[in-house]
Amino acid sequence: MVVLFGDCGEETHDRLGLKGASLCMMTRAGLPVPHGFVITTDVCREFFERGELPAEAFRQVGEKLGALEELTGLKFGGADRPLLLSVRAGASVLMPGMMDTILNLGLNDDAAAGLARTSNNPAFALDCHRRFIQNFGEVVFGIDRKLFARILEGVKKEAGVESEHRLDEKNRRKLVQLNAKLVRRQSGGQPPDDPMEQLRLAVHAVFRSWESPRAVTYRNLYRIPHHLGTAVTVQAMVFGNLGDDSAAGLVTTRDPTTGEKRLFGEYLVNAQGDDVLSGVRTPRRIRNFKNDFPDLHQTFIESCEALERRCRDMQEIEFTIERGKLYFLQSRESNRTAAAAVRIAVEMVKEGLIPREEAMLRIRPDTLDQILHRYIDPEVQARSIARGVPSSPGAASGRVVFDQEGAERARQTGEDAILVRNETTTEDVRGLALAQGVLTARGGKTSHAAVVVRGMGKPCITGCEALNVNTNNRTVVIGELVVREDDLITIDGSTGRVFLGAIPLRKAVVSPEFRELLSWADEIRTLRVRANVDTPEDAARAVAFGAEGVGLCRTEQMFMTADRLPTVRSMIMAEKDAERERHLNALQKMHMQDFLEIFETMLERPVTFRLLDPPLHEFLPPLDSVLMEAAVMRSQGIAGEELEKQEIFARKVMSLKEANPMLGLRGCRLGILNPEITRMQVTAIFEAACAMARRGVAVRPEIMIPFVGHVNEVKRARAVIVEVADYVMRKHGASVAYAVGVLIEVPRAALTADEIAPEVDFFSFGTNDLTQNTFGMSRDDAESKFLYFYLDQGILEDNPFDAFDEKGVGRLIGIAVDIGRRVNGGLVIGLCGEHAADFKTVLQCHKLGMDYVSCSIFRLPAARLSAARAKLLSDRDGTPPPSTKHTETP
């Protein structure tokens, strides 16, 4: 249950925690580590089961304390040469600052007097005593640290000093007395004089900090299992606050922001470690270390380098210098930015510390987005004013605007704008294009704003319910704060945070190491990676980011521009067939030009065109605004043809309104009821393909039928596609190899995939809508109303729209893949949607033997790395390799 540092073998961090395992490793390596022992995670789990520390564990603690006294020559709680302890949490996963620590444990009045005599430094002993009482009061009794801070400020003010370390002995003694009085008043007790009782209570408190709100929240954020528990390290104190020949500091073996290979950190002379972390004094940069401690400098550098080589990763090292002697208190893998993580991993491969495979397994794919977008300078401390759903990564600052006219004005004056709306519609597309970022009060990651802006590569926050947006008054109210049009704000689409004012941003820099890492990933992965695109410009960017084709071209997005939307609306509003045909022909020409440009970019790479998916009302203004405009016209006395035209428009919008449009007249249903729309789109695709064929380029169009639920829908839609394709190819005397497939977003389609598979050449799984339909929840409503409560309460372990739902959605996909390929061995299978770069999803796709995943452009690097990691982990775990008989060409 309890293990001395020196007695540890090669035990895993699962039992010892990262801190304990590190201290044991450093002790075995002969580094100067203060003696101590580890109370294992097994004891923590038993503590929570019993509600108390097991008697046998505490007996072993006493036994190891005796060994510690022999090793140090000090006496725990003794009045002469007292041994003081640090008691720290140390989980088996990295949770920096999330759990508690108690320092200087073992002090009482007698031990404090003995410490003063032993050190010949009464001020130092009083400082340690004051720190212990405060630390114990905060952690064990739960006293607000602000109360202790007020006492300290009062004593400093009375003494006329700005810094605590300048207090004289008299004032330090006064601090001890006032802190002890505060503890008695707040808790009804005080730190016990018995050092063993102090230790028992401290271990209890440190174990309990595993269940503290901040620790639970951190584990939820990073999906860390709650059952792991924490170890506790108990270590002999060494003191950096004994004078100018003593110090405490924190150093990383490389720069955690850039990854540069140099020591990076800070330290304080005559201080304890919590002084460095708390920021109560301005620390010195590690480059000054040589001047302050010239005799230790070379040893310090060599020891840090040796630790990194031994651990084969960048280390964060906590150290103390006690009267000229160096001690290492902790060494652990250090947090770092995504850019630094990539540089460090690649450089360590070149230094021979790790193989390529390990480098790829070290990088979290979901962090690569940070490298491709501007981001908030990590050294800037800023407090957010609101938080919403992080819907498109990156950060942007700009002046608040409420419509596209405001975005136009900002553009004309050369200023950046942030478009702020309750929600966005097709009417806002130009504003979205002009703004640097978008912030909405409603919506989720698949709402209109999120989908469109993500494709543009701009930051977006949706579902920020703290916002009260008043477009009439041109204000945004957040609690008591009023933000007006043209005020500066900053949004961070990676975290969902909103800031007042312009926060310093850093530009994305795609480093040579980043490109090299992805080239290694491409050599390893077997799963192909495609992109979701909306425009020819998107296609060009997708190729630049390494796309091997287009897995989803959302053709409706091509009509959402200000110059094309009127034609779409005219087509929808047309009463006569001839008029409707005229507008369809105009749309066909627009489409054909777009498709031709996409083919010119993608060349022989496959391109999947999804036929029109959204209901027609999405191309029209909101019904409320149409009715309001008619009412205003009547109130102003406007009559005749102008009013009649508006009322006809209102009736048409009303006729297209649906109670539940997500499950209404959309997808293949729209094409079946309006086959002329399907004919127009397919004609445009094959006109462009035939034009490329005449140039000698064998393009590979794939036509995707969306939102199918029944095989008869597939048969009906495919018949129209084949008929049109044959006609266009005969007309041009050209031959184009093409494929017809389905987008599976409805559970019934997955469960009847054996009926659908013989009718198609490919399946693509649209995980956004498939997740919504499987859970029976609208993402926008769920995320804004109840989903985060579900996550907080543990009803759901993960947000299924962020993290792939293996048991439900994953099982449906597995069934569809299995029964589909049984009846169609040549079926090409892919997955598109926001999950397509998520590692869990990609791993599932790899194991199922899918051919490709398709994701948004800026997530392509994450998908490429995820696919490589999936291959490496599957090989390591012995998972059978996916079938190789399925090719890209049906």
Side-chain angles (χ1 to χ4, degrees):
M1 290 184 170
V2 186
V3 189
L4 282 169
F5 294 165
D7 292 343
C8 295
E10 296 287 341
E11 294 194 60
T12 66
H13 59 260
D14 292 340
R15 290 191 70 242
L16 302 177
L18 293 176
K19 189 181 276 100
S22 166
L23 288 164
C24 290
M25 175 273 294
M26 288 192 290
T27 300
R28 288 197 306 273
L31 290 168
V33 176
H35 298 290
F37 54 84
V38 185
I39 306 173
T40 66
T41 56
D42 301 329
V43 180
C44 179
R45 288 189 285 270
E46 197 169 338
F47 169 80
F48 281 113
E49 287 174 11
R50 295 183 174 200
E52 61 182 2
L53 196 65
E56 173 59 18
F58 201 60
R59 186 196 68 75
Q60 291 185 28
V61 166
E63 183 182 281
K64 299 303 185 288
L65 262 175
L68 208 56
E69 289 175 333
E70 288 186 24
L71 288 167
T72 60
L74 306 174
K75 181 69 176 175
F76 184 51
D80 186 30
R81 294 180 55 77
L83 169 66
L84 303 187
L85 303 175
S86 67
V87 182
R88 304 169 184 254
S92 60
V93 288
L94 193 60
M95 293 178 60
M98 293 300 111
M99 290 174 291
D100 288 330
T101 291
I102 298 178
L103 303 178
N104 304 299
L105 189 133
L107 278 174
N108 51 34
D109 289 342
D110 290 343
L115 188 63
R117 288 192 300 273
T118 303
S119 65
N120 196 29
N121 190 336
F124 152 74
L126 289 166
D127 183 45
C128 292
H129 201 183
R130 188 275 306 170
R131 289 172 186 267
F132 168 65
I133 294 171
Q134 177 176 338
N135 199 188
F136 199 91
E138 290 174 5
V139 174
V140 176
F141 295 135
I143 299 171
D144 189 343
R145 66 177 55 195
K146 292 178 183 175
L147 299 177
F148 291 103
R150 283 180 201 157
I151 291 174
L152 177 58
E153 289 303 313
V155 172
K156 286 196 301 183
K157 186 175 181 180
E158 188 177 316
V161 299
E162 292 185 3
S163 177
E164 173 189 357
H165 74 286
R166 298 192 180 280
L167 291 172
D168 59 20
E169 187 177 333
K170 175 185 173 183
N171 283 297
R172 289 176 188 268
R173 184 168 282 105
K174 184 176 183 179
L175 261 180
V176 170
Q177 294 166 351
L178 290 174
N179 279 353
K181 184 178 179 181
L182 173 64
V183 171
R184 287 194 297 271
R185 186 172 69 247
Q186 291 290 318
S187 67
Q190 63 183 21
D193 284 339
D194 180 2
M196 287 303 292
E197 181 63 10
Q198 290 178 11
L199 182 55
R200 187 184 66 81
L201 291 174
V203 172
H204 276 214
V206 172
F207 275 150
R208 281 196 300 269
S209 70
W210 173 258
E211 293 293 346
S212 67
R214 67 179 184 272
V216 171
T217 299
Y218 187 90
R219 292 199 296 275
N220 286 336
L221 283 172
Y222 291 96
R223 302 177 193 170
I224 297 170
H226 293 286
H227 70 273
L228 298 177
T230 180
V232 173
T233 59
V234 179
Q235 195 171 12
M237 285 287 298
V238 288
F239 302 98
N241 54 336
L242 272 167
D244 290 342
D245 59 352
S246 303
L250 193 70
V251 65
T252 56
T253 53
R254 305 194 186 209
D255 189 322
T257 302
T258 67
E260 182 183 352
K261 190 175 181 180
R262 65 183 179 92
L263 291 185
F264 178 94
E266 298 172 327
Y267 66 98
L268 278 171
V269 174
N270 193 20
Q272 285 199 351
D274 55 344
D275 296 330
V276 181
L277 300 176
S278 66
V280 295
R281 290 164 55 190
T282 302
R284 303 187 189 191
R285 298 291 178 89
I286 206 69
R287 61 172 176 260
N288 296 319
F289 190 90
K290 184 176 183 179
N291 296 329
D292 289 327
F293 301 99
D295 295 340
L296 291 177
H297 181 248
Q298 192 58 35
T299 300
F300 180 66
I301 290 176
E302 291 172 358
S303 298
C304 290
E305 290 175 347
L307 267 173
E308 183 182 90
R309 283 195 304 273
R310 186 180 184 95
C311 299
R312 301 185 311 120
D313 199 359
M314 179 177 86
Q315 295 296 293
E316 180 180 273
I317 302 166
E318 187 178 336
F319 65 92
T320 290
I321 299 169
E322 180 182 281
R323 288 182 169 165
K325 184 174 181 181
L326 175 67
Y327 293 93
F328 289 117
L329 307 183
Q330 179 172 298
S331 180
R332 64 186 179 195
E333 294 175 7
S334 174
N335 283 337
R336 63 208 76 176
T337 65
V342 169
R343 178 173 176 178
I344 291 166
V346 171
E347 288 187 351
M348 284 191 167
V349 170
K350 295 178 177 180
E351 293 165 19
L353 290 177
I354 58 174
R356 286 184 179 185
E357 292 76 11
E358 187 170 339
M360 283 179 278
L361 290 173
R362 282 187 180 181
I363 309 298
R364 283 177 45 199
D366 60 332
T367 65
L368 295 185
D369 282 348
Q370 298 174 21
I371 297 174
L372 305 175
H373 298 272
R374 287 194 302 171
Y375 58 97
I376 291 177
D377 189 329
E379 295 183 7
V380 173
Q381 299 295 320
R383 186 175 179 181
S384 59
I385 57 173
R387 193 164 195 152
V389 179
S391 298
S392 183
S397 297
R399 299 199 177 277
V400 171
V401 299
F402 295 97
D403 47 37
Q404 66 182 32
E405 288 75 22
E408 288 268 19
R409 287 195 305 273
R411 173 65 62 89
Q412 289 168 3
T413 58
E415 294 184 293
D416 292 335
I418 304 295
L419 180 65
V420 182
R421 305 280 290 170
N422 279 311
E423 59 193 0
T424 64
T425 68
T426 53
E427 297 285 310
D428 299 309
V429 170
R430 180 152 177 77
L432 298 177
L434 291 171
Q436 291 299 306
V438 180
L439 171 64
T440 68
R442 294 192 284 269
K445 291 188 178 181
T446 53
S447 62
H448 178 264
V451 171
V452 175
V453 175
R454 199 156 45 237
M456 295 175 175
K458 298 179 181 182
C460 177
I461 299 172
T462 58
C464 189
E465 293 194 322
L467 306 182
N468 185 350
V469 181
N470 189 324
T471 54
N472 293 326
N473 293 339
R474 322 301 278 179
T475 60
V476 184
V477 179
I478 306 170
E480 297 181 358
L481 177 67
V482 179
V483 180
R484 293 179 170 79
E485 189 166 36
D486 291 333
D487 284 352
L488 280 168
I489 63 170
T490 300
I491 63 171
D492 185 351
S494 303
T495 64
R497 295 178 299 164
V498 183
F499 302 89
L500 190 62
I503 306 297
L505 304 178
R506 289 192 174 181
K507 288 185 178 180
V509 177
V510 179
S511 65
E513 292 83 9
F514 181 80
R515 297 181 191 279
E516 190 161 10
L517 181 80
L518 291 179
S519 72
W520 296 345
D522 292 340
E523 291 173 16
I524 288 173
R525 64 184 170 86
T526 54
L527 196 64
R528 302 181 77 82
V529 176
R530 300 191 194 179
N532 302 338
V533 306
D534 298 335
T535 64
E537 293 77 17
D538 287 347
R541 279 192 292 176
V543 171
F545 278 93
E548 296 168 293
V550 172
L552 176 64
C553 179
R554 293 167 288 218
T555 56
E556 64 273 2
Q557 296 296 332
M558 297 174 175
F559 295 145
M560 297 293 194
T561 58
D563 57 331
R564 296 182 178 187
L565 204 51
T567 308
V568 180
R569 289 178 176 172
S570 297
M571 182 271 292
I572 295 170
M573 296 296 297
E575 296 291 334
K576 297 179 180 179
D577 290 345
E579 183 186 2
R580 188 180 183 86
E581 188 71 23
R582 180 166 57 85
H583 294 307
L584 282 168
N585 287 337
L587 292 173
Q588 180 182 305
K589 290 178 182 177
M590 299 172 190
H591 247 349
M592 188 268 188
Q593 185 59 38
D594 286 339
F595 296 155
L596 185 61
E597 290 179 24
I598 289 175
F599 282 140
E600 287 172 342
T601 299
M602 302 309 295
L603 299 175
E604 289 85 3
R605 300 179 185 90
V607 180
T608 303
F609 298 98
R610 183 178 71 185
L611 298 177
L612 203 64
D613 183 40
L616 291 178
H617 76 83
E618 287 200 8
F619 294 96
L620 302 175
L623 178 60
D624 290 348
S625 65
V626 175
L627 293 174
M628 178 64 72
E629 192 169 340
V632 169
M633 291 173 70
R634 284 192 293 270
S635 69
Q636 293 175 345
I638 298 173
E641 185 179 343
E642 190 175 352
L643 178 60
E644 183 181 355
K645 186 177 179 181
Q646 181 66 25
E647 289 178 337
I648 292 171
F649 189 48
R651 285 195 294 272
K652 186 70 173 181
V653 176
M654 190 177 297
S655 71
L656 292 172
K657 179 178 172 58
E658 295 179 281
N660 190 346
M662 191 182 86
L663 299 176
L665 182 56
R666 58 168 290 200
C668 66
R669 303 163 190 170
L670 184 65
I672 289 170
L673 266 65
N674 302 273
E676 65 276 12
I677 296 177
T678 299
R679 291 177 184 277
M680 177 272 292
Q681 291 197 289
V682 176
T683 298
I685 292 169
F686 281 91
E687 288 284 352
C690 288
M692 294 298 292
R694 288 195 298 271
R695 301 179 193 176
V697 181
V699 296
R700 296 166 60 187
E702 301 176 351
I703 293 87
M704 177 190 284
I705 307 167
F707 213 71
V708 300
H710 197 285
V711 65
N712 288 338
E713 293 175 318
V714 180
K715 290 178 179 178
R716 183 72 65 92
R718 180 174 184 130
V720 175
I721 294 167
V722 171
E723 176 194 342
V724 174
D726 289 348
Y727 170 77
V728 176
M729 286 190 287
R730 281 198 310 272
K731 184 177 80 169
H732 291 287
S735 178
V736 176
Y738 69 95
V740 178
V742 293
L743 183 61
I744 296 180
E745 305 164 279
V746 177
R748 191 184 188 281
L751 295 171
T752 60
D754 53 340
E755 295 181 358
I756 296 172
E759 306 296 329
V760 297
D761 306 303
F762 69 87
F763 284 172
S764 182
F765 294 93
T767 55
N768 297 343
D769 275 2
L770 186 57
T771 300
Q772 292 192 97
N773 291 323
T774 302
F775 274 88
M777 62 173 70
S778 158
R779 176 172 191 163
D780 290 357
D781 293 327
E783 288 189 330
S784 63
K785 296 295 189 297
F786 64 86
L787 188 53
Y788 292 108
F789 176 81
Y790 269 40
L791 295 172
D792 288 341
Q793 297 296 311
I795 296 171
L796 290 177
E797 185 176 338
D798 294 307
N799 180 342
F801 301 108
D802 288 339
F804 189 59
D805 170 48
E806 291 185 38
K807 291 184 178 178
V809 176
R811 187 170 295 179
L812 279 172
I813 292 174
I815 291 169
V817 171
D818 180 35
I819 64 177
R821 277 190 167 153
R822 282 187 202 173
V823 296
N824 184 349
L827 197 66
V828 172
I829 298 180
L831 181 144
C832 61
E834 290 311 305
H835 294 92
D838 170 65
F839 174 67
K840 282 175 63 179
T841 312
V842 174
L843 181 61
Q844 178 94 338
C845 293
H846 177 85
K847 290 179 177 178
L848 287 172
M850 287 193 187
D851 296 284
Y852 69 88
V853 292
S854 184
C855 61
S856 55
I857 296 166
F858 283 88
R859 302 212 70 199
L860 284 167
R864 291 161 66 188
L865 181 58
S866 291
R869 285 163 56 98
K871 174 70 163 61
L872 291 170
L873 290 176
S874 295
D875 289 351
R876 188 179 72 183
D877 297 340
T879 303
S883 171
T884 57
K885 68 180 180 181
H886 311 298
T887 62
E888 285 286 344
T889 305

